[in-house]
Amino acid sequence: MLEKVVGFCLAVIAGYVVIIGVVAQARLNSGEFYYFGDAFATTSTDAGQILADVGEWIPMR
């Protein structure tokens, strides 16, 4: 059971990295950035800020 949970978590993380990579590549192709590393880092930061905003909507006890 633990192996399935760990595998699921790794799959979610891999999916997240793939999505961030695709968005970063699109931003690179649009001319917003000159280097993929810069585009990836900025996109990751933007995604983190969006997730933090969504997290504020979840009520905590």
Short mmCIF file of all heavy atoms in Angstrom, two decimals:
data_model
loop_
_atom_site.label_atom_id
_atom_site.label_comp_id
_atom_site.label_asym_id
_atom_site.label_seq_id
_atom_site.Cartn_x
_atom_site.Cartn_y
_atom_site.Cartn_z
N MET A 1 0.82 -1.19 0.00
CA MET A 1 0.00 0.00 0.00
C MET A 1 0.87 1.25 0.00
O MET A 1 0.59 2.21 -0.71
CB MET A 1 -0.91 -0.04 1.23
CG MET A 1 -1.83 1.14 1.34
SD MET A 1 -3.01 1.11 0.01
CE MET A 1 -3.93 2.55 0.38
N LEU A 2 1.92 1.25 0.81
CA LEU A 2 2.81 2.40 0.88
C LEU A 2 3.49 2.65 -0.47
O LEU A 2 3.68 3.80 -0.87
CB LEU A 2 3.86 2.19 1.98
CG LEU A 2 4.85 3.34 2.18
CD1 LEU A 2 4.10 4.61 2.58
CD2 LEU A 2 5.87 2.97 3.23
N GLU A 3 3.83 1.56 -1.17
CA GLU A 3 4.47 1.71 -2.47
C GLU A 3 3.55 2.41 -3.46
O GLU A 3 3.99 3.23 -4.28
CB GLU A 3 4.87 0.34 -3.04
CG GLU A 3 5.96 -0.35 -2.25
CD GLU A 3 5.40 -1.19 -1.11
OE1 GLU A 3 4.16 -1.27 -0.96
OE2 GLU A 3 6.20 -1.73 -0.34
N LYS A 4 2.26 2.13 -3.40
CA LYS A 4 1.30 2.77 -4.29
C LYS A 4 1.18 4.26 -3.98
O LYS A 4 1.09 5.08 -4.89
CB LYS A 4 -0.06 2.10 -4.20
CG LYS A 4 -0.08 0.71 -4.79
CD LYS A 4 -1.47 0.12 -4.72
CE LYS A 4 -1.47 -1.29 -5.29
NZ LYS A 4 -2.80 -1.90 -5.26
N VAL A 5 1.19 4.60 -2.71
CA VAL A 5 1.10 6.01 -2.31
C VAL A 5 2.34 6.77 -2.77
O VAL A 5 2.24 7.87 -3.32
CB VAL A 5 0.90 6.13 -0.79
CG1 VAL A 5 1.02 7.57 -0.34
CG2 VAL A 5 -0.42 5.53 -0.37
N VAL A 6 3.51 6.17 -2.55
CA VAL A 6 4.75 6.81 -2.97
C VAL A 6 4.78 6.95 -4.49
O VAL A 6 5.17 8.00 -5.03
CB VAL A 6 5.98 6.03 -2.46
CG1 VAL A 6 7.26 6.55 -3.08
CG2 VAL A 6 6.05 6.09 -0.94
N GLY A 7 4.36 5.92 -5.19
CA GLY A 7 4.32 5.97 -6.65
C GLY A 7 3.38 7.04 -7.15
O GLY A 7 3.69 7.76 -8.11
N PHE A 8 2.24 7.18 -6.51
CA PHE A 8 1.28 8.22 -6.90
C PHE A 8 1.87 9.60 -6.67
O PHE A 8 1.75 10.49 -7.53
CB PHE A 8 -0.02 8.05 -6.11
CG PHE A 8 -1.02 9.13 -6.38
CD1 PHE A 8 -1.74 9.13 -7.56
CD2 PHE A 8 -1.22 10.15 -5.48
CE1 PHE A 8 -2.66 10.13 -7.83
CE2 PHE A 8 -2.13 11.16 -5.73
CZ PHE A 8 -2.85 11.15 -6.91
N CYS A 9 2.52 9.79 -5.53
CA CYS A 9 3.13 11.09 -5.23
C CYS A 9 4.22 11.43 -6.25
O CYS A 9 4.30 12.58 -6.71
CB CYS A 9 3.72 11.10 -3.82
SG CYS A 9 2.46 11.06 -2.54
N LEU A 10 5.03 10.46 -6.61
CA LEU A 10 6.07 10.70 -7.60
C LEU A 10 5.47 11.01 -8.97
O LEU A 10 5.99 11.85 -9.71
CB LEU A 10 7.01 9.50 -7.69
CG LEU A 10 7.91 9.29 -6.48
CD1 LEU A 10 8.73 8.02 -6.64
CD2 LEU A 10 8.82 10.48 -6.26
N ALA A 11 4.37 10.35 -9.31
CA ALA A 11 3.70 10.62 -10.58
C ALA A 11 3.13 12.03 -10.61
O ALA A 11 3.20 12.72 -11.63
CB ALA A 11 2.60 9.59 -10.82
N VAL A 12 2.58 12.47 -9.49
CA VAL A 12 2.05 13.84 -9.42
C VAL A 12 3.18 14.86 -9.57
O VAL A 12 3.04 15.84 -10.30
CB VAL A 12 1.28 14.05 -8.10
CG1 VAL A 12 0.97 15.51 -7.86
CG2 VAL A 12 0.00 13.24 -8.09
N ILE A 13 4.29 14.61 -8.91
CA ILE A 13 5.44 15.52 -9.01
C ILE A 13 5.98 15.54 -10.44
O ILE A 13 6.28 16.61 -10.99
CB ILE A 13 6.54 15.12 -8.01
CG1 ILE A 13 6.06 15.36 -6.58
CG2 ILE A 13 7.84 15.87 -8.28
CD1 ILE A 13 6.95 14.78 -5.51
N ALA A 14 6.08 14.37 -11.07
CA ALA A 14 6.56 14.31 -12.45
C ALA A 14 5.60 15.04 -13.39
O ALA A 14 6.05 15.76 -14.30
CB ALA A 14 6.72 12.85 -12.88
N GLY A 15 4.31 14.89 -13.16
CA GLY A 15 3.33 15.61 -13.97
C GLY A 15 3.46 17.11 -13.81
O GLY A 15 3.37 17.86 -14.78
N TYR A 16 3.68 17.55 -12.59
CA TYR A 16 3.88 18.97 -12.31
C TYR A 16 5.09 19.50 -13.06
O TYR A 16 5.03 20.56 -13.69
CB TYR A 16 4.04 19.16 -10.80
CG TYR A 16 4.37 20.56 -10.37
CD1 TYR A 16 3.40 21.55 -10.35
CD2 TYR A 16 5.65 20.90 -9.97
CE1 TYR A 16 3.70 22.84 -9.97
CE2 TYR A 16 5.96 22.18 -9.58
CZ TYR A 16 4.98 23.14 -9.58
OH TYR A 16 5.29 24.42 -9.20
N VAL A 17 6.18 18.75 -13.03
CA VAL A 17 7.41 19.18 -13.70
C VAL A 17 7.20 19.24 -15.22
O VAL A 17 7.66 20.18 -15.88
CB VAL A 17 8.59 18.25 -13.33
CG1 VAL A 17 9.81 18.54 -14.19
CG2 VAL A 17 8.93 18.40 -11.86
N VAL A 18 6.48 18.28 -15.76
CA VAL A 18 6.21 18.27 -17.20
C VAL A 18 5.37 19.48 -17.59
O VAL A 18 5.66 20.17 -18.58
CB VAL A 18 5.53 16.95 -17.63
CG1 VAL A 18 4.98 17.05 -19.04
CG2 VAL A 18 6.50 15.80 -17.51
N ILE A 19 4.32 19.76 -16.83
CA ILE A 19 3.47 20.91 -17.14
C ILE A 19 4.26 22.21 -17.05
O ILE A 19 4.16 23.08 -17.92
CB ILE A 19 2.24 20.94 -16.20
CG1 ILE A 19 1.31 19.78 -16.53
CG2 ILE A 19 1.51 22.27 -16.30
CD1 ILE A 19 0.21 19.56 -15.51
N ILE A 20 5.07 22.36 -16.01
CA ILE A 20 5.89 23.56 -15.86
C ILE A 20 6.87 23.67 -17.04
O ILE A 20 7.09 24.76 -17.58
CB ILE A 20 6.66 23.55 -14.52
CG1 ILE A 20 5.68 23.62 -13.35
CG2 ILE A 20 7.65 24.70 -14.45
CD1 ILE A 20 4.88 24.89 -13.27
N GLY A 21 7.43 22.55 -17.45
CA GLY A 21 8.36 22.55 -18.58
C GLY A 21 7.69 22.96 -19.89
O GLY A 21 8.27 23.73 -20.67
N VAL A 22 6.48 22.49 -20.12
CA VAL A 22 5.76 22.85 -21.35
C VAL A 22 5.43 24.35 -21.35
O VAL A 22 5.60 25.04 -22.36
CB VAL A 22 4.48 22.00 -21.49
CG1 VAL A 22 3.57 22.54 -22.58
CG2 VAL A 22 4.84 20.55 -21.76
N VAL A 23 4.96 24.85 -20.22
CA VAL A 23 4.65 26.28 -20.13
C VAL A 23 5.92 27.11 -20.27
O VAL A 23 5.93 28.15 -20.96
CB VAL A 23 3.91 26.60 -18.81
CG1 VAL A 23 3.73 28.09 -18.62
CG2 VAL A 23 2.56 25.89 -18.77
N ALA A 24 7.01 26.67 -19.66
CA ALA A 24 8.27 27.40 -19.77
C ALA A 24 8.76 27.41 -21.22
O ALA A 24 9.26 28.44 -21.70
CB ALA A 24 9.32 26.77 -18.87
N GLN A 25 8.60 26.30 -21.92
CA GLN A 25 9.00 26.25 -23.34
C GLN A 25 8.15 27.20 -24.17
O GLN A 25 8.66 27.88 -25.07
CB GLN A 25 8.88 24.83 -23.87
CG GLN A 25 9.40 24.67 -25.28
CD GLN A 25 10.89 24.93 -25.39
OE1 GLN A 25 11.66 24.46 -24.57
NE2 GLN A 25 11.29 25.69 -26.40
N ALA A 26 6.87 27.28 -23.88
CA ALA A 26 6.00 28.21 -24.60
C ALA A 26 6.41 29.66 -24.33
O ALA A 26 6.42 30.48 -25.25
CB ALA A 26 4.55 27.99 -24.19
N ARG A 27 6.76 29.96 -23.09
CA ARG A 27 7.22 31.32 -22.77
C ARG A 27 8.55 31.62 -23.45
O ARG A 27 8.79 32.76 -23.86
CB ARG A 27 7.33 31.49 -21.25
CG ARG A 27 5.99 31.44 -20.56
CD ARG A 27 6.11 31.50 -19.06
NE ARG A 27 6.23 32.90 -18.63
CZ ARG A 27 6.24 33.26 -17.36
NH1 ARG A 27 6.14 32.36 -16.40
NH2 ARG A 27 6.34 34.53 -17.04
N LEU A 28 9.40 30.62 -23.56
CA LEU A 28 10.68 30.79 -24.25
C LEU A 28 10.45 31.04 -25.73
O LEU A 28 11.06 31.95 -26.33
CB LEU A 28 11.54 29.54 -24.04
CG LEU A 28 12.95 29.55 -24.60
CD1 LEU A 28 13.80 30.55 -23.84
CD2 LEU A 28 13.55 28.17 -24.52
N ASN A 29 9.55 30.28 -26.34
CA ASN A 29 9.27 30.43 -27.77
C ASN A 29 8.60 31.76 -28.09
O ASN A 29 8.73 32.27 -29.20
CB ASN A 29 8.39 29.28 -28.27
CG ASN A 29 9.13 27.96 -28.28
OD1 ASN A 29 10.35 27.93 -28.26
ND2 ASN A 29 8.40 26.87 -28.30
N SER A 30 7.88 32.31 -27.12
CA SER A 30 7.20 33.58 -27.37
C SER A 30 8.16 34.76 -27.31
O SER A 30 7.79 35.88 -27.64
CB SER A 30 6.08 33.79 -26.33
OG SER A 30 6.61 34.07 -25.06
N GLY A 31 9.38 34.52 -26.88
CA GLY A 31 10.38 35.58 -26.82
C GLY A 31 10.43 36.29 -25.48
O GLY A 31 11.15 37.27 -25.32
N GLU A 32 9.67 35.79 -24.51
CA GLU A 32 9.67 36.42 -23.19
C GLU A 32 11.00 36.19 -22.47
O GLU A 32 11.43 37.02 -21.67
CB GLU A 32 8.50 35.86 -22.38
CG GLU A 32 8.28 36.55 -21.06
CD GLU A 32 7.05 36.03 -20.33
OE1 GLU A 32 6.26 35.26 -20.90
OE2 GLU A 32 6.89 36.41 -19.16
N PHE A 33 11.65 35.05 -22.74
CA PHE A 33 12.93 34.71 -22.12
C PHE A 33 13.91 34.24 -23.18
O PHE A 33 13.51 33.80 -24.26
CB PHE A 33 12.74 33.58 -21.08
CG PHE A 33 11.89 33.96 -19.91
CD1 PHE A 33 10.55 33.63 -19.87
CD2 PHE A 33 12.44 34.66 -18.85
CE1 PHE A 33 9.77 33.98 -18.79
CE2 PHE A 33 11.66 35.02 -17.76
CZ PHE A 33 10.32 34.68 -17.74
N TYR A 34 15.20 34.34 -22.87
CA TYR A 34 16.23 33.87 -23.78
C TYR A 34 16.79 32.51 -23.39
O TYR A 34 17.39 31.83 -24.21
CB TYR A 34 17.38 34.88 -23.85
CG TYR A 34 16.98 36.17 -24.51
CD1 TYR A 34 16.80 37.33 -23.78
CD2 TYR A 34 16.76 36.22 -25.89
CE1 TYR A 34 16.43 38.51 -24.38
CE2 TYR A 34 16.38 37.39 -26.51
CZ TYR A 34 16.22 38.53 -25.75
OH TYR A 34 15.84 39.70 -26.35
N TYR A 35 16.63 32.12 -22.12
CA TYR A 35 17.18 30.86 -21.63
C TYR A 35 16.08 30.04 -20.98
O TYR A 35 15.24 30.57 -20.24
CB TYR A 35 18.30 31.12 -20.60
CG TYR A 35 19.43 31.93 -21.17
CD1 TYR A 35 19.60 33.27 -20.82
CD2 TYR A 35 20.33 31.37 -22.06
CE1 TYR A 35 20.62 34.02 -21.36
CE2 TYR A 35 21.36 32.12 -22.61
CZ TYR A 35 21.50 33.44 -22.25
OH TYR A 35 22.51 34.17 -22.78
N PHE A 36 16.12 28.73 -21.23
CA PHE A 36 15.09 27.85 -20.69
C PHE A 36 15.12 27.83 -19.16
O PHE A 36 14.08 27.78 -18.52
CB PHE A 36 15.26 26.43 -21.23
CG PHE A 36 14.20 25.48 -20.74
CD1 PHE A 36 12.94 25.50 -21.28
CD2 PHE A 36 14.47 24.59 -19.71
CE1 PHE A 36 11.96 24.64 -20.82
CE2 PHE A 36 13.51 23.73 -19.24
CZ PHE A 36 12.23 23.75 -19.81
N GLY A 37 16.31 27.88 -18.59
CA GLY A 37 16.41 27.86 -17.12
C GLY A 37 15.71 29.04 -16.48
O GLY A 37 15.03 28.89 -15.46
N ASP A 38 15.86 30.21 -17.09
CA ASP A 38 15.17 31.39 -16.56
C ASP A 38 13.67 31.25 -16.70
O ASP A 38 12.91 31.60 -15.79
CB ASP A 38 15.64 32.65 -17.30
CG ASP A 38 17.08 32.99 -17.03
OD1 ASP A 38 17.62 32.53 -16.00
OD2 ASP A 38 17.68 33.72 -17.85
N ALA A 39 13.23 30.75 -17.85
CA ALA A 39 11.80 30.56 -18.08
C ALA A 39 11.22 29.54 -17.11
O ALA A 39 10.13 29.73 -16.55
CB ALA A 39 11.54 30.12 -19.52
N PHE A 40 11.95 28.45 -16.87
CA PHE A 40 11.48 27.40 -15.96
C PHE A 40 11.40 27.92 -14.53
O PHE A 40 10.41 27.69 -13.83
CB PHE A 40 12.40 26.18 -16.03
CG PHE A 40 11.85 24.97 -15.35
CD1 PHE A 40 11.07 24.07 -16.05
CD2 PHE A 40 12.11 24.72 -14.01
CE1 PHE A 40 10.55 22.95 -15.44
CE2 PHE A 40 11.59 23.60 -13.39
CZ PHE A 40 10.82 22.72 -14.11
N ALA A 41 12.43 28.65 -14.10
CA ALA A 41 12.44 29.17 -12.73
C ALA A 41 11.31 30.17 -12.51
O ALA A 41 10.62 30.13 -11.48
CB ALA A 41 13.79 29.83 -12.44
N THR A 42 11.11 31.06 -13.46
CA THR A 42 10.05 32.06 -13.32
C THR A 42 8.68 31.41 -13.36
O THR A 42 7.79 31.77 -12.59
CB THR A 42 10.18 33.12 -14.43
OG1 THR A 42 11.48 33.70 -14.36
CG2 THR A 42 9.13 34.20 -14.27
N THR A 43 8.50 30.44 -14.25
CA THR A 43 7.22 29.74 -14.34
C THR A 43 6.94 28.96 -13.06
O THR A 43 5.80 28.94 -12.59
CB THR A 43 7.21 28.80 -15.56
OG1 THR A 43 7.51 29.55 -16.73
CG2 THR A 43 5.87 28.13 -15.73
N SER A 44 7.97 28.34 -12.48
CA SER A 44 7.79 27.62 -11.22
C SER A 44 7.38 28.56 -10.10
O SER A 44 6.50 28.25 -9.29
CB SER A 44 9.07 26.90 -10.83
OG SER A 44 9.42 25.94 -11.79
N THR A 45 8.00 29.74 -10.06
CA THR A 45 7.66 30.73 -9.05
C THR A 45 6.23 31.22 -9.23
O THR A 45 5.47 31.33 -8.25
CB THR A 45 8.63 31.92 -9.12
OG1 THR A 45 9.96 31.42 -8.95
CG2 THR A 45 8.33 32.94 -8.05
N ASP A 46 5.85 31.48 -10.48
CA ASP A 46 4.48 31.92 -10.76
C ASP A 46 3.47 30.85 -10.34
O ASP A 46 2.43 31.16 -9.75
CB ASP A 46 4.31 32.24 -12.24
CG ASP A 46 5.11 33.44 -12.68
OD1 ASP A 46 5.58 34.20 -11.80
OD2 ASP A 46 5.28 33.62 -13.90
N ALA A 47 3.78 29.59 -10.65
CA ALA A 47 2.87 28.50 -10.27
C ALA A 47 2.77 28.38 -8.76
O ALA A 47 1.68 28.14 -8.22
CB ALA A 47 3.35 27.19 -10.87
N GLY A 48 3.87 28.56 -8.06
CA GLY A 48 3.85 28.52 -6.60
C GLY A 48 2.99 29.62 -6.01
O GLY A 48 2.27 29.41 -5.04
N GLN A 49 3.07 30.80 -6.60
CA GLN A 49 2.24 31.90 -6.12
C GLN A 49 0.76 31.63 -6.37
O GLN A 49 -0.08 31.96 -5.53
CB GLN A 49 2.67 33.21 -6.79
CG GLN A 49 4.03 33.68 -6.34
CD GLN A 49 4.54 34.87 -7.13
OE1 GLN A 49 4.00 35.22 -8.16
NE2 GLN A 49 5.59 35.49 -6.62
N ILE A 50 0.45 31.05 -7.51
CA ILE A 50 -0.95 30.70 -7.81
C ILE A 50 -1.45 29.66 -6.82
O ILE A 50 -2.57 29.76 -6.30
CB ILE A 50 -1.09 30.22 -9.26
CG1 ILE A 50 -0.86 31.39 -10.22
CG2 ILE A 50 -2.46 29.59 -9.50
CD1 ILE A 50 -0.72 30.98 -11.66
N LEU A 51 -0.64 28.63 -6.56
CA LEU A 51 -1.05 27.59 -5.61
C LEU A 51 -1.21 28.16 -4.21
O LEU A 51 -2.10 27.74 -3.46
CB LEU A 51 -0.04 26.45 -5.60
CG LEU A 51 -0.04 25.57 -6.85
CD1 LEU A 51 1.10 24.55 -6.77
CD2 LEU A 51 -1.37 24.87 -7.02
N ALA A 52 -0.37 29.11 -3.83
CA ALA A 52 -0.51 29.74 -2.52
C ALA A 52 -1.81 30.52 -2.43
O ALA A 52 -2.49 30.49 -1.39
CB ALA A 52 0.68 30.66 -2.24
N ASP A 53 -2.18 31.21 -3.50
CA ASP A 53 -3.45 31.94 -3.52
C ASP A 53 -4.64 30.99 -3.42
O ASP A 53 -5.61 31.26 -2.72
CB ASP A 53 -3.58 32.79 -4.79
CG ASP A 53 -2.58 33.93 -4.81
OD1 ASP A 53 -2.08 34.30 -3.73
OD2 ASP A 53 -2.31 34.45 -5.90
N VAL A 54 -4.55 29.87 -4.12
CA VAL A 54 -5.63 28.87 -4.05
C VAL A 54 -5.69 28.28 -2.64
O VAL A 54 -6.77 28.03 -2.12
CB VAL A 54 -5.42 27.77 -5.11
CG1 VAL A 54 -6.37 26.61 -4.90
CG2 VAL A 54 -5.58 28.32 -6.51
N GLY A 55 -4.55 28.08 -2.01
CA GLY A 55 -4.50 27.54 -0.67
C GLY A 55 -5.16 28.45 0.35
O GLY A 55 -5.68 27.98 1.38
N GLU A 56 -5.18 29.74 0.09
CA GLU A 56 -5.84 30.66 1.02
C GLU A 56 -7.36 30.49 1.00
O GLU A 56 -8.02 30.86 1.96
CB GLU A 56 -5.49 32.11 0.65
CG GLU A 56 -4.05 32.46 0.95
CD GLU A 56 -3.72 33.89 0.56
OE1 GLU A 56 -4.61 34.59 0.06
OE2 GLU A 56 -2.57 34.28 0.76
N TRP A 57 -7.89 29.95 -0.08
CA TRP A 57 -9.34 29.75 -0.17
C TRP A 57 -9.80 28.56 0.66
O TRP A 57 -10.99 28.46 0.99
CB TRP A 57 -9.78 29.52 -1.60
CG TRP A 57 -9.47 30.65 -2.54
CD1 TRP A 57 -9.21 31.94 -2.20
CD2 TRP A 57 -9.39 30.59 -3.95
NE1 TRP A 57 -8.98 32.69 -3.32
CE2 TRP A 57 -9.08 31.89 -4.42
CE3 TRP A 57 -9.54 29.57 -4.87
CZ2 TRP A 57 -8.93 32.17 -5.76
CZ3 TRP A 57 -9.40 29.85 -6.22
CH2 TRP A 57 -9.09 31.14 -6.64
N ILE A 58 -8.88 27.66 1.00
CA ILE A 58 -9.24 26.45 1.74
C ILE A 58 -9.32 26.80 3.22
O ILE A 58 -8.33 27.23 3.82
CB ILE A 58 -8.22 25.33 1.50
CG1 ILE A 58 -8.16 24.99 0.01
CG2 ILE A 58 -8.55 24.10 2.33
CD1 ILE A 58 -7.03 24.06 -0.37
N PRO A 59 -10.49 26.63 3.82
CA PRO A 59 -10.61 26.98 5.23
C PRO A 59 -9.83 26.00 6.13
O PRO A 59 -9.88 24.79 5.92
CB PRO A 59 -12.10 26.90 5.51
CG PRO A 59 -12.63 25.97 4.45
CD PRO A 59 -11.74 26.12 3.26
N MET A 60 -9.12 26.54 7.08
CA MET A 60 -8.39 25.71 8.04
C MET A 60 -9.06 25.82 9.39
O MET A 60 -9.58 26.87 9.75
CB MET A 60 -6.93 26.19 8.15
CG MET A 60 -6.16 26.12 6.84
SD MET A 60 -5.95 24.45 6.21
CE MET A 60 -4.80 23.82 7.38
N ARG A 61 -9.04 24.75 10.12
CA ARG A 61 -9.68 24.75 11.45
C ARG A 61 -8.76 25.28 12.50
O ARG A 61 -7.61 25.23 12.49
CB ARG A 61 -10.11 23.34 11.83
CG ARG A 61 -11.19 22.84 10.93
CD ARG A 61 -11.63 21.50 11.38
NE ARG A 61 -12.67 21.05 10.47
CZ ARG A 61 -13.50 20.10 10.74
NH1 ARG A 61 -13.44 19.48 11.89
NH2 ARG A 61 -14.39 19.73 9.87
#
